[in-house]
Amino acid sequence: MTPTSAQDIRDAADLLATAGDVTILGHVRPDADALGSALALGRALRQRGARVRVSFGEPDEAPETLRWLDEDGLLTHPDALPDAEELLVCVDTPTPKRLGRLAGRVELAGAVLVIDHHATNTFYGTCHVVDESAEASAVLVFRVLDELGAELDEPIARGLYAGIVTDTSGFRRASPETHRMAARLLEAGADPEAIVRRIVDERPFAWLPMLSSVLREARLEPEAAQGRGFVHAVVGVDAARTVRGEEVESVIDVVRSVREAAVAAVLKQDPAHPEQWQISLRSIGIDVSAVAAEFGGGGHRQAAGCTIAGSADEVVAGLREALERAPLL
């Protein structure tokens, strides 16, 4: 994959500049980068006079911690989308499969713009702004909005900042250019304290007993992952019953902090299909996107995910074996 070019940005901006009706999709179980980017882009297009909808395949509602980013009521239930789109924009979504039940809309759309920063992107659109070197899809949306000449107001800045601050782990992996982007977002009115507090820091009290029960059963395998260490934890349906999806997703950020392990995994049991597990992988020095790809998933080299069927022990065994084959970074 080669970094996106200035011409890619211009092509995307030209496509959006003439669009009168747009549907913007994020991946299933959208995070701050997917939803913040989509809503920021949607607001900018709406201000240009386009009719805009923002949606995702699952769950039926946006995470509670992200709903406040929807300043304009752009979020649209999948059942309320049109039969097909003149222009479909897929944000932070490397493959149609990650659109879930909305994947079929790609083939029906007149044009498909893909804006994404995943190494596993399959270039499934008719126009692409795809760059693995971008720390967040929000960075790429920012570049497209600049090319469009869109004005950065507070709601647009809020959505882009949410995507950047979360996907860079609080700017720990941000380039000088991305720090300069963040400065412009702050100048446009984004409130960093409020954004990080509402999306990252605040948790309900029920999160504490859930986390305690999960971490109590976590396991460290120092010799696994090619001798670099593998730590894993399981979030079963019973443990997750009292918390939101956001709290379950946050467990990986605690488990990944173990110093003795280069790879961390959290298995999250699917309530609708208890035999299936949604896997979050994080790493230092090992390409976990290759591991996820073995199970039909994908992501970044140091942050990836997939879905695996079986018992928790069988899933961990499969991950353990795949880690022995994973490329080193």
Side-chain angles (χ1 to χ4, degrees):
M1 180 188 299
T2 57
T4 194
S5 67
Q7 186 60 52
D8 294 331
I9 299 290
R10 286 193 291 270
D11 290 344
D14 289 344
L15 186 62
L16 294 169
T18 58
D21 191 279
V22 185
T23 296
I24 306 173
L25 300 181
H27 55 72
V28 293
R29 298 181 295 279
D31 57 8
D33 192 25
L35 207 55
S37 298
L39 290 168
L41 178 61
R43 178 176 173 85
L45 295 178
R46 184 177 183 180
Q47 289 175 340
R48 295 177 62 88
R51 181 181 179 186
V52 181
R53 298 162 294 271
V54 174
S55 192
F56 47 88
E58 62 179 75
D60 285 340
E61 292 187 349
E64 184 180 332
T65 52
L66 301 178
R67 290 175 204 162
W68 67 295
L69 299 176
D70 185 17
E71 184 82 7
D72 303 293
L74 299 179
L75 287 173
T76 304
H77 191 278
D79 293 343
L81 295 175
D83 292 338
E85 283 86 12
E86 299 173 14
L87 174 59
L88 183 69
V89 183
C90 301
V91 177
D92 201 43
T93 304
T95 68
K97 182 179 179 180
R98 288 286 288 151
L99 294 171
R101 58 176 158 164
L102 301 181
R105 307 189 77 84
V106 171
E107 293 185 1
L108 298 175
V112 179
L113 169 60
V114 177
I115 305 177
D116 182 43
H117 72 131
H118 290 88
T120 52
N121 192 284
T122 58
F123 289 79
Y124 55 92
T126 57
C127 183
H128 301 92
V129 176
V130 176
D131 189 347
E132 181 195 354
S133 69
E135 304 95 329
S137 291
V139 167
L140 300 175
V141 170
F142 194 118
R143 294 174 186 167
V144 171
L145 292 181
D146 262 359
E147 185 66 28
L148 266 174
E151 180 182 353
L152 291 177
D153 61 12
E154 189 276 329
I156 292 175
R158 184 198 316 163
L160 295 177
Y161 191 91
I164 292 173
V165 73
T166 52
D167 261 32
T168 59
S169 296
F171 292 95
R172 288 193 288 270
R173 296 189 304 274
S175 68
E177 178 192 3
T178 301
H179 278 281
R180 286 189 287 270
M181 286 184 177
R184 288 180 57 193
L185 297 175
L186 298 186
E187 290 168 352
D191 183 339
E193 193 279 330
I195 292 170
V196 174
R197 174 172 48 80
R198 294 187 69 167
I199 295 177
V200 180
D201 291 344
E202 288 186 345
R203 301 291 176 198
F205 180 78
W207 180 66
L208 294 178
M210 182 278 291
L211 189 62
S212 175
S213 68
V214 169
L215 297 184
R216 186 166 54 244
E217 302 299 324
R219 295 292 179 265
L220 172 66
E221 302 181 29
E223 301 307 316
Q226 304 178 50
R228 288 164 171 79
F230 176 37
V231 61
H232 46 86
V234 175
V235 184
V237 170
D238 289 341
R241 201 178 305 278
T242 60
V243 296
R244 306 169 301 180
E246 294 97 306
E247 277 68 62
V248 176
E249 293 298 327
S250 74
V251 174
I252 188 62
D253 294 319
V254 179
V255 176
R256 70 185 298 185
S257 65
V258 172
R259 182 174 56 191
E260 297 92 340
V263 178
V266 172
L267 286 63
K268 297 160 289 183
Q269 193 171 28
D270 188 331
H273 305 282
E275 74 285 357
Q276 290 190 339
W277 301 84
Q278 296 162 7
I279 315 300
S280 293
L281 295 165
R282 300 292 185 270
S283 76
I284 299 174
I286 293 182
D287 185 353
V288 289
S289 69
V291 174
E294 289 196 28
F295 301 98
H300 307 290
R301 288 182 169 83
Q302 293 181 295
C306 56
T307 300
I308 308 176
S311 69
D313 288 343
E314 290 169 342
V315 171
V316 170
L319 292 172
R320 187 186 300 116
E321 292 175 6
L323 284 167
E324 297 305 314
R325 301 184 291 269
L328 301 180
L329 300 178

